[in-house]
Amino acid sequence: MENGGATTTTSTITIKGILSLLMESISEEEGKRVISLGMGDPTLYSCFRTTQVSLQAVSDSLLSNKFHGYAPTVGLPQSRRAIAEYLSRDLPYKLSQDDVFITSGCTQAIDVALAMLARPRANILLPRPGFPIYELCAKFRHLEVRYIDLIPENGWEIDLDAVESIADENTVALVVINPGNPCGNVYSYHHLMKIAETAKRLGFLVIADEVYGHLAFGSKPFVPMGVFGSIVPVLTLGSLSKRWIVPGWRLGWFVTTDPSGSFKDPKIIERFKKYFDILGGPATFIQAAVPTILEQTDESFFKKTLNSLKNSSDICCDWIKEIPCIDSSHRPEGSMAMMVKLNLSLLEDVSDDIDFCFKLAREESVILLPGTAVGLKNWLRITFAADAISIEEAFKRIKCFYLRHAKAQDPTS
């Protein structure tokens, strides 16, 4: 792939697809417990569990016998209203339930956003590295993809100079993932404002992927892109999945954070509603639990999750220093994942990041995601939403793998 302006990619690889192949490659003869630091699903580890409030809310909703029928295709009104109030806490304006459309997870919200923006000759700007579902959805919608490289030396900030040079009159949107997946970065207020001003000047909107919203444990607080909705129209995508640790509940949202009213045109609203008529949203009883979940979850639950993520990321960073063939230029500040650079020159018989991950899986029963899957060849994505014991054991095995495959030192050097 060429830097910056590439309009196609060499593969349509998906995260789940490659992780499945890695799991299949594990040798049962090794007899080691499989440790996966590849999938962003914190429920795989017992230290990450949702709140009793969430469980009780879903149980009460289900057993009430009131929510076994169809919900309105755009979502239950009380749930839309609760999401609007929840998001409005961090905005300088108030959202209404009419701004909120409930989706089956954030993945469906991504599909909705790209479907609504697709038109002949349109292009969309995606971050690289990023989340490959955007590319997959864009291809199905015949949206041309143009990549904007994130800058690891600057905390994975968006290269706004590249945005200026790559965007044209057919650019419909820039995707901003904050907190960052796969990089673990959190954007500052200043950087987000510059993104908004750039988008306004160039005439396109911003898709704010905030599925990891509020999962910030570094020096920078999480700032929603919707704060800048009066500068540029923002489509905010989010879900319960990560903050409440319930990815399997598939409860997401697609929200027009746009106080200037760009999306209030009746024709646009009607198009949204008609598209939702052909989608299947989350189960009605899950939707009905949303108001209680959003309103009654105690702050201590969120603090515990953040402390666990910070502790796990610190363990990763300490171990990375002990393994010469991997390096991280940026300490994670949020989300549940980080990127590390692979130094192949130190390895004897490893050809690239994919080869590294398959050999690691076969020899050590440890699963990491090749950077190629998220657009960055010869890097690795490590998910740190795991317990300390599993992370420690995984990195011990990675170090053993490195020592086994390290190039022999030249005695004359």
Side-chain angles (χ1 to χ4, degrees):
M1 291 185 234
E2 293 179 359
N3 190 49
T7 59
T8 60
T9 62
T10 55
S11 70
T12 53
I13 199 166
T14 65
I15 290 174
K16 288 180 180 176
I18 197 163
L19 289 176
S20 295
L21 293 173
L22 286 166
M23 285 296 293
E24 289 171 10
S25 73
I26 288 177
S27 171
E28 293 183 7
E29 296 175 5
E30 290 294 323
K32 294 178 180 175
R33 175 174 73 98
V34 177
I35 303 175
S36 177
L37 302 182
M39 176 67 81
D41 184 353
T43 66
L44 298 174
Y45 295 92
S46 60
C47 59
F48 291 99
R49 288 290 180 262
T50 193
T51 63
Q52 189 61 37
V53 166
S54 301
L55 298 174
Q56 192 63 51
V58 170
S59 176
D60 290 348
S61 169
L62 179 63
L63 296 176
S64 73
N65 288 318
K66 295 178 181 177
F67 302 106
H68 299 323
Y70 293 117
T73 54
V74 293
L76 289 175
Q78 64 268 38
S79 305
R80 298 171 71 197
R81 186 162 54 251
I83 293 167
E85 290 171 358
Y86 166 70
L87 296 176
S88 295
R89 297 176 198 171
D90 301 304
L91 298 174
Y93 52 89
K94 294 295 180 184
L95 298 169
S96 77
Q97 74 176 56
D98 293 334
D99 298 312
V100 177
F101 301 82
I102 296 179
T103 60
S104 184
C106 196
T107 299
Q108 191 179 69
I110 292 170
D111 179 61
V112 171
L114 271 58
M116 293 298 96
L117 293 171
R119 56 175 171 76
R121 296 183 298 281
N123 67 73
I124 188 168
L125 308 182
L126 301 184
R128 185 169 60 193
F131 186 51
I133 291 294
Y134 281 97
E135 179 195 344
L136 205 55
C137 285
K139 287 187 174 183
F140 274 109
R141 303 299 174 191
H142 304 291
L143 263 172
E144 178 192 339
V145 169
R146 299 184 178 183
Y147 289 98
I148 304 298
D149 290 324
L150 305 183
I151 308 170
E153 300 80 18
N154 290 353
W156 299 101
E157 286 189 346
I158 293 171
D159 186 343
L160 293 176
D161 290 336
V163 172
E164 296 266 5
S165 62
I166 293 168
D168 62 19
E169 70 277 4
N170 291 317
T171 301
V172 292
L174 166 67
V175 172
V176 177
I177 304 174
N178 180 51
N181 176 27
C183 303
N185 54 293
V186 175
Y187 289 143
S188 67
Y189 182 98
H190 177 68
H191 186 58
L192 292 170
M193 177 179 280
K194 284 167 64 177
I195 291 170
E197 291 170 346
T198 301
K200 178 184 180 181
R201 185 168 62 254
L202 297 176
F204 52 78
L205 59 83
V206 173
I207 297 173
D209 184 326
E210 296 174 356
V211 72
Y212 287 96
H214 293 280
L215 291 182
F217 47 79
S219 59
K220 294 195 285 288
F222 166 66
V223 179
M225 192 72 212
V227 166
F228 308 99
S230 57
I231 297 175
V232 66
V234 176
L235 294 176
T236 296
L237 318 181
S239 77
L240 293 181
S241 298
K242 308 298 185 180
R243 197 181 188 201
W244 273 270
I245 317 180
V246 287
W249 290 8
R250 311 311 298 140
L251 194 294
W253 50 78
F254 167 95
V255 182
T256 56
T257 36
D258 169 41
S260 301
S262 302
F263 296 109
K264 300 298 186 201
D265 184 314
K267 290 182 180 178
I268 295 176
I269 296 297
E270 188 62 23
R271 189 162 180 247
F272 284 166
K273 289 180 177 178
K274 283 184 177 178
Y275 191 67
F276 273 88
D277 282 345
I278 65 172
L279 300 178
T284 307
F285 72 91
I286 297 286
Q287 292 190 43
V290 167
T292 300
I293 293 171
L294 295 182
E295 292 161 14
Q296 296 186 19
T297 300
D298 192 83
E299 196 64 32
S300 61
F301 165 73
F302 300 132
K303 288 180 180 176
K304 180 184 175 186
T305 301
L306 291 178
N307 287 339
S308 296
L309 289 172
K310 185 176 189 314
N311 182 54
S312 295
S313 69
D314 286 344
I315 294 170
C316 289
C317 290
D318 290 344
W319 267 102
I320 287 165
K321 295 173 186 173
E322 301 294 317
I323 305 171
C325 67
I326 55 176
D327 179 61
S328 175
S329 60
H330 180 261
R331 201 174 189 91
E333 301 172 286
S335 81
M336 298 178 176
M338 65 186 296
M339 295 294 290
V340 296
K341 193 170 187 177
L342 192 56
N343 187 344
L344 294 171
S345 68
L346 299 179
L347 299 169
E348 190 68 58
D349 53 354
V350 176
S351 59
D352 58 22
D353 57 316
I354 294 177
D355 190 34
F356 180 97
C357 289
F358 273 93
K359 285 178 175 170
L360 178 67
R362 280 194 295 270
E363 297 175 25
E364 297 292 347
S365 299
V366 172
I367 305 290
L368 302 180
L369 186 72
T372 296
V374 293
L376 210 53
K377 187 175 175 64
N378 294 332
W379 287 64
L380 307 168
R381 189 189 79 168
I382 299 175
T383 300
F384 49 80
D387 60 78
I389 292 173
S390 295
I391 293 174
E392 293 271 7
E393 176 62 23
F395 273 97
K396 285 177 186 174
R397 296 187 200 174
I398 295 169
K399 186 171 184 179
C400 288
F401 177 86
Y402 161 70
L403 292 172
R404 192 180 310 122
H405 292 271
K407 281 187 177 175
Q409 293 292 316
D410 184 349
T412 62
S413 63

